mmCIF file of all heavy atoms in Angstrom:
data_model
loop_
_atom_site.group_PDB
_atom_site.id
_atom_site.type_symbol
_atom_site.label_atom_id
_atom_site.label_comp_id
_atom_site.label_asym_id
_atom_site.label_seq_id
_atom_site.Cartn_x
_atom_site.Cartn_y
_atom_site.Cartn_z
ATOM 1 N N SER S 23 123.679 178.572 10.619
ATOM 2 C CA SER S 23 122.885 179.743 10.963
ATOM 3 C C SER S 23 121.561 179.750 10.207
ATOM 4 O O SER S 23 120.519 180.140 10.750
ATOM 5 C CB SER S 23 123.687 181.012 10.654
ATOM 6 O OG SER S 23 122.989 182.166 11.062
ATOM 7 N N CYS S 24 121.594 179.293 8.953
ATOM 8 C CA CYS S 24 120.374 179.217 8.149
ATOM 9 C C CYS S 24 119.378 178.236 8.775
ATOM 10 O O CYS S 24 118.177 178.522 8.862
ATOM 11 C CB CYS S 24 120.736 178.791 6.729
ATOM 12 S SG CYS S 24 119.327 178.630 5.620
ATOM 13 N N LEU S 25 119.854 177.080 9.204
ATOM 14 C CA LEU S 25 118.987 176.090 9.839
ATOM 15 C C LEU S 25 118.390 176.644 11.138
ATOM 16 O O LEU S 25 117.214 176.397 11.455
ATOM 17 C CB LEU S 25 119.770 174.805 10.119
ATOM 18 C CG LEU S 25 120.306 174.067 8.878
ATOM 19 C CD1 LEU S 25 121.215 172.922 9.297
ATOM 20 C CD2 LEU S 25 119.159 173.552 8.013
ATOM 21 N N ILE S 26 119.194 177.386 11.886
ATOM 22 C CA ILE S 26 118.689 178.024 13.104
ATOM 23 C C ILE S 26 117.595 179.027 12.753
ATOM 24 O O ILE S 26 116.550 179.100 13.419
ATOM 25 C CB ILE S 26 119.835 178.718 13.864
ATOM 26 C CG1 ILE S 26 120.818 177.687 14.420
ATOM 27 C CG2 ILE S 26 119.293 179.593 14.999
ATOM 28 C CD1 ILE S 26 122.108 178.276 14.947
ATOM 29 N N ASP S 27 117.823 179.807 11.711
ATOM 30 C CA ASP S 27 116.852 180.813 11.286
ATOM 31 C C ASP S 27 115.526 180.162 10.913
ATOM 32 O O ASP S 27 114.449 180.662 11.261
ATOM 33 C CB ASP S 27 117.418 181.599 10.100
ATOM 34 C CG ASP S 27 116.562 182.793 9.719
ATOM 35 O OD1 ASP S 27 116.299 183.636 10.600
ATOM 36 O OD2 ASP S 27 116.152 182.886 8.550
ATOM 37 N N ILE S 28 115.584 179.043 10.218
ATOM 38 C CA ILE S 28 114.359 178.318 9.857
ATOM 39 C C ILE S 28 113.637 177.851 11.117
ATOM 40 O O ILE S 28 112.416 178.003 11.257
ATOM 41 C CB ILE S 28 114.693 177.126 8.939
ATOM 42 C CG1 ILE S 28 115.212 177.621 7.581
ATOM 43 C CG2 ILE S 28 113.454 176.244 8.737
ATOM 44 C CD1 ILE S 28 115.771 176.527 6.697
ATOM 45 N N GLY S 29 114.407 177.289 12.047
ATOM 46 C CA GLY S 29 113.803 176.794 13.280
ATOM 47 C C GLY S 29 113.124 177.885 14.087
ATOM 48 O O GLY S 29 111.978 177.734 14.523
ATOM 49 N N TRP S 30 113.819 179.029 14.273
ATOM 50 C CA TRP S 30 113.231 180.117 15.045
ATOM 51 C C TRP S 30 112.041 180.736 14.303
ATOM 52 O O TRP S 30 111.093 181.219 14.929
ATOM 53 C CB TRP S 30 114.277 181.186 15.351
ATOM 54 C CG TRP S 30 115.142 180.827 16.515
ATOM 55 C CD1 TRP S 30 116.411 180.362 16.470
ATOM 56 C CD2 TRP S 30 114.777 180.872 17.896
ATOM 57 N NE1 TRP S 30 116.867 180.126 17.745
ATOM 58 C CE2 TRP S 30 115.893 180.427 18.635
ATOM 59 C CE3 TRP S 30 113.616 181.242 18.580
ATOM 60 C CZ2 TRP S 30 115.884 180.342 20.020
ATOM 61 C CZ3 TRP S 30 113.612 181.165 19.978
ATOM 62 C CH2 TRP S 30 114.735 180.729 20.676
ATOM 63 N N GLY S 31 112.070 180.704 12.969
ATOM 64 C CA GLY S 31 110.929 181.199 12.204
ATOM 65 C C GLY S 31 109.684 180.373 12.465
ATOM 66 O O GLY S 31 108.565 180.898 12.519
ATOM 67 N N ILE S 32 109.858 179.058 12.647
ATOM 68 C CA ILE S 32 108.734 178.173 12.963
ATOM 69 C C ILE S 32 108.258 178.399 14.391
ATOM 70 O O ILE S 32 107.059 178.461 14.662
ATOM 71 C CB ILE S 32 109.148 176.704 12.759
ATOM 72 C CG1 ILE S 32 109.398 176.425 11.268
ATOM 73 C CG2 ILE S 32 108.087 175.753 13.318
ATOM 74 C CD1 ILE S 32 110.075 175.106 10.992
ATOM 75 N N ARG S 33 109.209 178.528 15.311
ATOM 76 C CA ARG S 33 108.841 178.714 16.714
ATOM 77 C C ARG S 33 108.162 180.045 16.961
ATOM 78 O O ARG S 33 107.179 180.140 17.699
ATOM 79 C CB ARG S 33 110.091 178.608 17.607
ATOM 80 C CG ARG S 33 109.774 178.721 19.100
ATOM 81 C CD ARG S 33 111.035 179.031 19.890
ATOM 82 N NE ARG S 33 110.778 179.106 21.316
ATOM 83 C CZ ARG S 33 110.267 180.155 21.953
ATOM 84 N NH1 ARG S 33 109.923 181.244 21.268
ATOM 85 N NH2 ARG S 33 110.077 180.142 23.267
ATOM 86 N N GLY S 34 108.693 181.109 16.325
ATOM 87 C CA GLY S 34 108.206 182.446 16.615
ATOM 88 C C GLY S 34 108.926 183.027 17.806
ATOM 89 O O GLY S 34 109.660 182.335 18.536
ATOM 90 N N GLY S 35 108.731 184.310 18.031
ATOM 91 C CA GLY S 35 109.459 185.009 19.079
ATOM 92 C C GLY S 35 108.721 185.141 20.393
ATOM 93 O O GLY S 35 109.193 185.828 21.299
ATOM 94 N N GLY S 36 107.584 184.497 20.525
ATOM 95 C CA GLY S 36 106.799 184.621 21.748
ATOM 96 C C GLY S 36 107.330 183.766 22.880
ATOM 97 O O GLY S 36 108.311 183.024 22.738
ATOM 98 N N THR S 37 106.665 183.840 24.024
ATOM 99 C CA THR S 37 107.047 183.015 25.160
ATOM 100 C C THR S 37 106.661 181.564 24.885
ATOM 101 O O THR S 37 105.935 181.255 23.938
ATOM 102 C CB THR S 37 106.327 183.487 26.439
ATOM 103 O OG1 THR S 37 104.905 183.357 26.241
ATOM 104 C CG2 THR S 37 106.652 184.944 26.737
ATOM 105 N N ALA S 38 107.172 180.649 25.719
ATOM 106 C CA ALA S 38 106.909 179.224 25.524
ATOM 107 C C ALA S 38 105.413 178.923 25.504
ATOM 108 O O ALA S 38 104.959 178.004 24.807
ATOM 109 C CB ALA S 38 107.605 178.425 26.628
ATOM 110 N N ARG S 39 104.623 179.701 26.239
ATOM 111 C CA ARG S 39 103.169 179.460 26.295
ATOM 112 C C ARG S 39 102.501 179.676 24.944
ATOM 113 O O ARG S 39 101.420 179.147 24.699
ATOM 114 C CB ARG S 39 102.527 180.387 27.332
ATOM 115 C CG ARG S 39 102.947 180.131 28.755
ATOM 116 C CD ARG S 39 102.066 180.905 29.730
ATOM 117 N NE ARG S 39 102.066 182.328 29.454
ATOM 118 C CZ ARG S 39 102.956 183.183 29.962
ATOM 119 N NH1 ARG S 39 103.925 182.736 30.736
ATOM 120 N NH2 ARG S 39 102.890 184.476 29.688
ATOM 121 N N THR S 40 103.125 180.455 24.073
ATOM 122 C CA THR S 40 102.508 180.767 22.775
ATOM 123 C C THR S 40 102.920 179.787 21.686
ATOM 124 O O THR S 40 102.472 179.905 20.549
ATOM 125 C CB THR S 40 102.898 182.187 22.334
ATOM 126 O OG1 THR S 40 104.314 182.223 22.036
ATOM 127 C CG2 THR S 40 102.585 183.214 23.409
ATOM 128 N N VAL S 41 103.769 178.793 22.012
ATOM 129 C CA VAL S 41 104.293 177.866 21.018
ATOM 130 C C VAL S 41 103.558 176.527 21.125
ATOM 131 O O VAL S 41 103.501 175.923 22.200
ATOM 132 C CB VAL S 41 105.815 177.653 21.219
ATOM 133 C CG1 VAL S 41 106.370 176.733 20.139
ATOM 134 C CG2 VAL S 41 106.548 178.989 21.199
ATOM 135 N N SER S 42 102.993 176.069 20.002
ATOM 136 C CA SER S 42 102.275 174.794 20.004
ATOM 137 C C SER S 42 103.258 173.637 20.048
ATOM 138 O O SER S 42 104.450 173.791 19.771
ATOM 139 C CB SER S 42 101.404 174.682 18.752
ATOM 140 O OG SER S 42 102.213 174.516 17.598
ATOM 141 N N ARG S 43 102.748 172.445 20.368
ATOM 142 C CA ARG S 43 103.602 171.253 20.400
ATOM 143 C C ARG S 43 104.197 170.978 19.026
ATOM 144 O O ARG S 43 105.373 170.634 18.895
ATOM 145 C CB ARG S 43 102.776 170.052 20.891
ATOM 146 C CG ARG S 43 103.463 168.702 20.738
ATOM 147 C CD ARG S 43 104.870 168.635 21.306
ATOM 148 N NE ARG S 43 104.928 168.991 22.716
ATOM 149 C CZ ARG S 43 106.038 169.040 23.422
ATOM 150 N NH1 ARG S 43 107.207 168.812 22.831
ATOM 151 N NH2 ARG S 43 106.020 169.358 24.692
ATOM 152 N N GLN S 44 103.400 171.143 17.965
ATOM 153 C CA GLN S 44 103.914 170.916 16.617
ATOM 154 C C GLN S 44 105.022 171.915 16.279
ATOM 155 O O GLN S 44 106.056 171.537 15.716
ATOM 156 C CB GLN S 44 102.795 171.027 15.587
ATOM 157 C CG GLN S 44 103.255 170.752 14.157
ATOM 158 C CD GLN S 44 102.141 170.914 13.148
ATOM 159 O OE1 GLN S 44 101.169 171.626 13.382
ATOM 160 N NE2 GLN S 44 102.282 170.259 12.003
ATOM 161 N N GLN S 45 104.806 173.171 16.630
ATOM 162 C CA GLN S 45 105.842 174.177 16.400
ATOM 163 C C GLN S 45 107.124 173.826 17.147
ATOM 164 O O GLN S 45 108.225 173.911 16.598
ATOM 165 C CB GLN S 45 105.366 175.559 16.860
ATOM 166 C CG GLN S 45 104.403 176.272 15.930
ATOM 167 C CD GLN S 45 103.952 177.585 16.548
ATOM 168 O OE1 GLN S 45 103.273 177.592 17.581
ATOM 169 N NE2 GLN S 45 104.333 178.686 15.932
ATOM 170 N N PHE S 46 106.967 173.442 18.405
ATOM 171 C CA PHE S 46 108.137 173.132 19.213
ATOM 172 C C PHE S 46 108.900 171.940 18.648
ATOM 173 O O PHE S 46 110.134 171.941 18.591
ATOM 174 C CB PHE S 46 107.736 172.853 20.664
ATOM 175 C CG PHE S 46 108.898 172.563 21.567
ATOM 176 C CD1 PHE S 46 109.678 173.590 22.069
ATOM 177 C CD2 PHE S 46 109.239 171.254 21.879
ATOM 178 C CE1 PHE S 46 110.773 173.316 22.885
ATOM 179 C CE2 PHE S 46 110.337 170.975 22.693
ATOM 180 C CZ PHE S 46 111.096 172.010 23.192
ATOM 181 N N ASP S 47 108.166 170.904 18.205
ATOM 182 C CA ASP S 47 108.826 169.720 17.656
ATOM 183 C C ASP S 47 109.600 170.057 16.384
ATOM 184 O O ASP S 47 110.726 169.573 16.178
ATOM 185 C CB ASP S 47 107.791 168.633 17.371
ATOM 186 C CG ASP S 47 107.232 167.999 18.642
ATOM 187 O OD1 ASP S 47 107.844 168.193 19.722
ATOM 188 O OD2 ASP S 47 106.187 167.328 18.564
ATOM 189 N N LEU S 48 109.001 170.864 15.515
ATOM 190 C CA LEU S 48 109.695 171.258 14.287
ATOM 191 C C LEU S 48 110.888 172.157 14.590
ATOM 192 O O LEU S 48 111.954 172.040 13.968
ATOM 193 C CB LEU S 48 108.723 171.963 13.338
ATOM 194 C CG LEU S 48 107.709 171.065 12.631
ATOM 195 C CD1 LEU S 48 106.667 171.908 11.912
ATOM 196 C CD2 LEU S 48 108.413 170.136 11.639
ATOM 197 N N PHE S 49 110.701 173.061 15.522
ATOM 198 C CA PHE S 49 111.789 173.938 15.962
ATOM 199 C C PHE S 49 112.980 173.111 16.433
ATOM 200 O O PHE S 49 114.126 173.329 16.010
ATOM 201 C CB PHE S 49 111.263 174.834 17.087
ATOM 202 C CG PHE S 49 112.305 175.595 17.867
ATOM 203 C CD1 PHE S 49 113.066 176.578 17.265
ATOM 204 C CD2 PHE S 49 112.485 175.351 19.216
ATOM 205 C CE1 PHE S 49 114.012 177.300 17.990
ATOM 206 C CE2 PHE S 49 113.417 176.060 19.956
ATOM 207 C CZ PHE S 49 114.185 177.036 19.330
ATOM 208 N N ARG S 50 112.700 172.142 17.272
ATOM 209 C CA ARG S 50 113.761 171.293 17.802
ATOM 210 C C ARG S 50 114.432 170.487 16.691
ATOM 211 O O ARG S 50 115.655 170.314 16.688
ATOM 212 C CB ARG S 50 113.194 170.371 18.883
ATOM 213 C CG ARG S 50 114.255 169.531 19.568
ATOM 214 C CD ARG S 50 113.673 168.767 20.751
ATOM 215 N NE ARG S 50 114.704 167.908 21.336
ATOM 216 C CZ ARG S 50 115.621 168.322 22.185
ATOM 217 N NH1 ARG S 50 115.657 169.587 22.564
ATOM 218 N NH2 ARG S 50 116.528 167.486 22.668
ATOM 219 N N LYS S 51 113.642 170.017 15.743
ATOM 220 C CA LYS S 51 114.195 169.237 14.627
ATOM 221 C C LYS S 51 115.221 170.050 13.842
ATOM 222 O O LYS S 51 116.320 169.567 13.554
ATOM 223 C CB LYS S 51 113.052 168.794 13.704
ATOM 224 C CG LYS S 51 113.515 168.129 12.420
ATOM 225 C CD LYS S 51 112.336 167.894 11.474
ATOM 226 C CE LYS S 51 112.830 167.435 10.107
ATOM 227 N NZ LYS S 51 111.706 167.290 9.135
ATOM 228 N N TRP S 52 114.859 171.296 13.515
ATOM 229 C CA TRP S 52 115.779 172.141 12.749
ATOM 230 C C TRP S 52 117.015 172.500 13.556
ATOM 231 O O TRP S 52 118.134 172.540 13.042
ATOM 232 C CB TRP S 52 115.070 173.398 12.261
ATOM 233 C CG TRP S 52 114.167 173.136 11.099
ATOM 234 C CD1 TRP S 52 112.814 172.979 11.120
ATOM 235 C CD2 TRP S 52 114.560 172.970 9.726
ATOM 236 N NE1 TRP S 52 112.331 172.729 9.852
ATOM 237 C CE2 TRP S 52 113.380 172.731 8.979
ATOM 238 C CE3 TRP S 52 115.771 173.008 9.056
ATOM 239 C CZ2 TRP S 52 113.390 172.529 7.596
ATOM 240 C CZ3 TRP S 52 115.796 172.815 7.684
ATOM 241 C CH2 TRP S 52 114.621 172.570 6.976
ATOM 242 N N LEU S 53 116.834 172.755 14.853
ATOM 243 C CA LEU S 53 117.992 173.103 15.678
ATOM 244 C C LEU S 53 118.922 171.917 15.889
ATOM 245 O O LEU S 53 120.141 172.100 15.972
ATOM 246 C CB LEU S 53 117.543 173.683 17.022
ATOM 247 C CG LEU S 53 117.657 175.219 17.091
ATOM 248 C CD1 LEU S 53 116.730 175.882 16.095
ATOM 249 C CD2 LEU S 53 117.398 175.727 18.494
ATOM 250 N N LEU S 54 118.370 170.722 15.943
ATOM 251 C CA LEU S 54 119.232 169.552 16.050
ATOM 252 C C LEU S 54 120.068 169.371 14.784
ATOM 253 O O LEU S 54 121.243 168.982 14.854
ATOM 254 C CB LEU S 54 118.392 168.294 16.329
ATOM 255 C CG LEU S 54 117.863 168.165 17.760
ATOM 256 C CD1 LEU S 54 116.840 167.035 17.848
ATOM 257 C CD2 LEU S 54 119.005 167.926 18.741
ATOM 258 N N GLN S 55 119.476 169.651 13.632
ATOM 259 C CA GLN S 55 120.240 169.622 12.388
ATOM 260 C C GLN S 55 121.366 170.653 12.426
ATOM 261 O O GLN S 55 122.502 170.374 12.028
ATOM 262 C CB GLN S 55 119.330 169.894 11.193
ATOM 263 C CG GLN S 55 118.337 168.798 10.868
ATOM 264 C CD GLN S 55 117.534 169.150 9.614
ATOM 265 O OE1 GLN S 55 118.083 169.407 8.550
ATOM 266 N NE2 GLN S 55 116.219 169.176 9.758
ATOM 267 N N ALA S 56 121.015 171.855 12.877
ATOM 268 C CA ALA S 56 122.024 172.915 12.975
ATOM 269 C C ALA S 56 123.133 172.521 13.930
ATOM 270 O O ALA S 56 124.322 172.736 13.649
ATOM 271 C CB ALA S 56 121.366 174.221 13.434
ATOM 272 N N GLU S 57 122.768 171.945 15.056
ATOM 273 C CA GLU S 57 123.765 171.543 16.049
ATOM 274 C C GLU S 57 124.741 170.531 15.459
ATOM 275 O O GLU S 57 125.951 170.602 15.706
ATOM 276 C CB GLU S 57 123.052 170.957 17.278
ATOM 277 C CG GLU S 57 123.964 170.384 18.336
ATOM 278 C CD GLU S 57 124.699 171.432 19.166
ATOM 279 O OE1 GLU S 57 124.634 172.632 18.841
ATOM 280 O OE2 GLU S 57 125.366 171.044 20.141
#
């Protein structure tokens, strides 16, 4: 859950249009660790 929290903190709560490629890549990295 902590790893998920870190990932969503990087992504932010906006729609996909508001998320940069770097944010998305880091978000995915943390969620893959959590998974």
Side-chain angles (χ1 to χ4, degrees):
S23 184
C24 179
L25 297 172
I26 293 169
D27 188 55
I28 293 171
W30 279 103
I32 293 168
R33 183 197 182 280
T37 61
R39 295 191 304 272
T40 68
V41 183
S42 70
R43 170 51 57 182
Q44 182 182 24
Q45 283 177 295
F46 182 79
D47 288 345
L48 286 170
F49 167 66
R50 185 173 177 82
K51 173 188 171 184
W52 284 100
L53 258 64
L54 285 169
Q55 291 183 56
E57 175 74 352

